[in-house]
Amino acid sequence: MLDSRLEELRRATLAAFASASSGQDLEAARVEALGRKGTLAQISKEFGKLAPEERARFGKLLNSVKQDLESEYEKKNRWFEEAQLAERLANEWIDVTLPAPGVRPGSLHPITQLQDEIEDLFTSLGFAVLDGPEVETEEHNFDALNIPPTHPARDMQDTFWLSNGHLLRTHTSPVQVRGMRKLGPPLRMIAPGRVFRNEEVDASHEHTFYQLEGMMIDRDVSVANLIYFMKTLLSSIFKRDVTVRLRPGYFPFVEPGFELDIQCLICSGAGCPVCKQSGWVELLPCGLVHPNVLRMSGIDPDEWGGFAFGLGLTRLAMMRYGIDDIRQLQSGDLRFLNQF
Ligand code: FA5
């Protein structure tokens, strides 16, 4: 009786294995026959009911059925695995002779491009490129630039104050102070960098933007030197001769102080919407270094003099590339950046 149940199991399971059309079908048939609660396990439980002299013979039969089924299962399973692999090999292939899709290496940000160019120009004129911290002391950012705590000029630049009394530098001018104190006169330096102001953001104002400071200290520095260097700088940036003019401008750290205007490059001074019909565009503040500023950094103003300027690098990039909204520059939008 048990023998015939075993034979039936062998026959039915081999038939199920043979007709299995997928790995899942095969596995289901295996579990039904050979699984922990499968038919073979159930038949084995009857083992105890057999007469002792029957047990050895039945045990052999049981093992042979089990081995037959297991080996048939293995064979068919391997077949499915190979078929699956063959299918993948047929469908997933790479033509190594195709041209590569191309690496897009990215490009330098327009402000970085401009900064690099100005650095090259000034280093060729004997200027050092200096760096300074973005978190500054009040002394470097204001006091040493002739802006004491009660001075109304402190309100000209809305400041992000930090809880420890330091601040985010509002301009690159504190690097002048660091340069004078560290290197002393004579000195030719520029200092490009990021500055911060607690300002309302709009198309031409950012809270975080770039400036490029410049300073030259020597024995006989005059406004003529200042104009020469500014004209050289602007002709190099705009790749043509430019006409500049100076208007009086007030900054506590320079005396006299100027706003330098450039003759409008769009209309050549005739008047257009860009220059608001005036023929001139305001570009950078500058002036001769105030004697107090020299003195506070240990330089004798009777012996030395100098000029300084503070270029709005972000605004200059806008003019050069015709960008009409400052917010695009820090948007991280690749559609914008890919154009440069
Ligand atoms: C200064 O920051 C002075 N330290 C510059 C200076 C240096 C004068 C040396 C004299 C001698 P001002 O606050 O004007 O000055 O800023 C300089 C330039 O930064 C401006 O001409 C403008 O181009 C740019 N700028 C100012 N505020 C913003 C802003 N919110 N967003 C973008 N650019 C700005």
Side-chain angles (χ1 to χ4, degrees):
M1 167 69 178
L2 278 182
D3 285 13
S4 61
R5 278 177 68 193
L6 268 180
E7 290 303 345
E8 172 56 19
L9 173 68
R10 187 199 319 250
R11 193 201 57 74
T13 307
L14 288 177
F17 285 171
S19 65
S21 60
S22 69
Q24 285 99 311
D25 284 356
L26 182 70
E27 179 62 11
R30 186 194 68 79
V31 170
E32 195 182 325
L34 302 171
R36 263 196 317 127
K37 293 179 183 161
T39 315
L40 193 77
Q42 281 161 20
I43 297 174
S44 309
K45 282 187 196 148
E46 314 276 324
F47 200 76
K49 294 181 187 162
L50 290 173
E53 62 278 12
E54 279 283 288
R55 287 184 191 165
R57 189 196 55 79
F58 181 74
K60 262 195 201 142
L61 181 61
L62 191 95
N63 273 337
S64 96
V65 170
K66 190 169 177 225
Q67 275 164 13
D68 280 0
L69 295 183
E70 279 175 352
S71 88
E72 189 58 25
Y73 168 81
E74 288 299 331
K75 222 192 298 168
K76 185 93 192 225
N77 193 40
R78 210 171 314 120
W79 187 85
F80 276 127
E81 281 174 358
E82 278 164 14
Q84 205 177 22
L85 182 64
E87 192 189 325
R88 280 185 59 195
L89 287 174
N91 295 325
E92 296 174 21
W93 56 278
I94 299 170
D95 182 352
V96 292
T97 64
L98 278 178
V103 179
R104 299 202 57 179
S107 58
L108 292 177
H109 192 279
I111 293 179
T112 312
Q113 292 181 26
L114 192 57
Q115 181 182 326
D116 285 355
E117 249 177 65
I118 300 177
E119 284 182 12
D120 284 350
L121 171 72
F122 274 98
T123 45
S124 78
L125 296 170
F127 284 62
V129 182
L130 302 189
D131 202 5
E134 292 179 345
V135 172
E136 259 299 3
T137 63
E138 190 175 351
E139 204 261 337
H140 284 98
N141 197 83
F142 289 127
D143 302 62
L145 290 164
N146 206 25
I147 319 176
T150 52
H151 200 291
R154 285 219 176 179
D155 296 337
M156 286 164 75
Q157 302 175 355
D158 291 322
T159 308
F160 286 112
W161 290 95
L162 305 180
S163 54
N164 60 3
H166 292 345
L167 49 82
L168 297 183
R169 66 179 179 190
T170 55
H171 49 177
T172 40
S173 299
V175 192
Q176 287 183 20
V177 176
R178 291 178 179 276
M180 285 188 285
R181 289 179 182 175
K182 184 152 189 209
L183 303 171
L187 176 67
R188 290 181 181 201
M189 55 154 281
I190 57 166
R194 200 157 59 147
V195 302
F196 310 85
R197 292 189 194 175
N198 194 354
E199 281 191 22
E200 200 81 51
V201 171
D202 62 27
S204 55
H205 294 83
E206 261 288 9
H207 49 70
T208 302
F209 57 99
Y210 287 79
Q211 287 189 341
L212 187 137
E213 194 80 7
M215 174 179 245
M216 173 171 164
I217 298 194
D218 216 315
R219 286 206 155 81
D220 293 304
V221 177
S222 68
V223 174
N225 297 115
L226 170 64
I227 293 176
Y228 167 77
F229 279 102
M230 295 304 95
K231 278 193 79 160
T232 306
L233 165 68
L234 297 172
S235 305
S236 150
I237 290 171
F238 292 109
K239 313 257 184 275
R240 56 175 134 157
D241 263 349
V242 294
T243 308
V244 301
R245 74 172 185 193
L246 295 181
R247 280 180 296 117
Y250 175 69
F251 299 90
F253 32 96
V254 284
E255 178 57 41
F258 306 106
E259 289 287 355
L260 182 143
D261 298 339
I262 172 174
Q263 194 171 65
C264 182
L265 297 172
I266 311 288
C267 63
S268 303
C272 72
V274 171
C275 60
K276 301 196 179 80
Q277 308 305 330
S278 72
W280 297 93
V281 178
E282 181 178 315
L283 208 59
L284 61 93
C286 53
L288 297 186
V289 183
H290 197 292
N292 287 349
V293 171
L294 294 172
R295 224 174 272 121
M296 278 186 277
S297 287
I299 296 175
D300 179 0
D302 293 330
E303 194 182 348
W304 303 96
F307 69 72
F309 62 91
L311 186 71
L313 207 52
T314 305
R315 293 249 180 97
L316 192 63
M318 291 173 73
M319 274 193 66
R320 175 146 126 177
Y321 296 109
I323 298 164
D324 60 7
D325 192 324
I326 197 169
R327 290 165 288 202
Q328 288 187 310
L329 283 157
Q330 296 191 127
S331 63
D333 186 339
L334 287 178
R335 289 167 305 179
F336 168 74
L337 291 170
N338 278 340
Q339 299 171 57
F340 302 95

